[in-house]
Amino acid sequence: MNKPPSKEEIMTYNVVPVKIAAEYLGMSQQTVRNGMRKGYLNIGEVVGSGFYIYSDRLIAYRTGEVPAQTSKETVIYFLQELIAAVKGGTP
């Protein structure tokens, strides 16, 4: 298993690729995309089919400086993603 990128590596990007952001957060790329689309991950913007993940927001999210939405739906969504990841599939 690859080591996730460091904070310093993330800071070298103006716009962080989804793959790198997913590794940094310990999530699948699909979870990052879905979370951004649904507004659960406040780490950038979704414009059409493009995902613009900003390094400062990504780091702030991971360190807890950007609060995540904590609605019941958010908790259920991430638990479903976690269960799917453990089972090796998608929800």
Side-chain angles (χ1 to χ4, degrees):
M1 184 172 208
N2 291 338
K3 181 180 172 186
S6 68
K7 176 181 174 180
E8 292 73 22
E9 290 170 316
I10 294 298
M11 290 182 347
T12 65
Y13 293 94
N14 289 323
V15 176
V16 182
V18 172
K19 180 180 188 294
I20 301 298
E23 290 172 1
Y24 184 67
L25 295 174
M27 301 176 177
S28 72
Q29 293 179 52
Q30 193 60 43
T31 299
V32 170
R33 288 186 192 99
N34 288 342
M36 288 183 69
R37 275 190 202 108
K38 295 179 181 183
Y40 302 145
L41 286 176
N42 186 17
I43 57 174
E45 300 175 71
V46 180
V47 179
S49 61
F51 293 85
Y52 299 89
I53 302 170
Y54 307 116
S55 58
D56 57 338
R57 289 169 73 174
L58 179 61
I59 291 166
Y61 181 85
R62 184 170 177 208
T63 60
E65 295 172 29
V66 173
Q69 180 180 347
T70 55
S71 68
K72 176 182 170 184
E73 292 79 18
T74 301
V75 173
I76 291 170
Y77 170 78
F78 279 108
L79 286 174
Q80 289 172 334
E81 291 290 325
L82 178 62
I83 291 166
V86 169
K87 289 182 176 179
T90 57

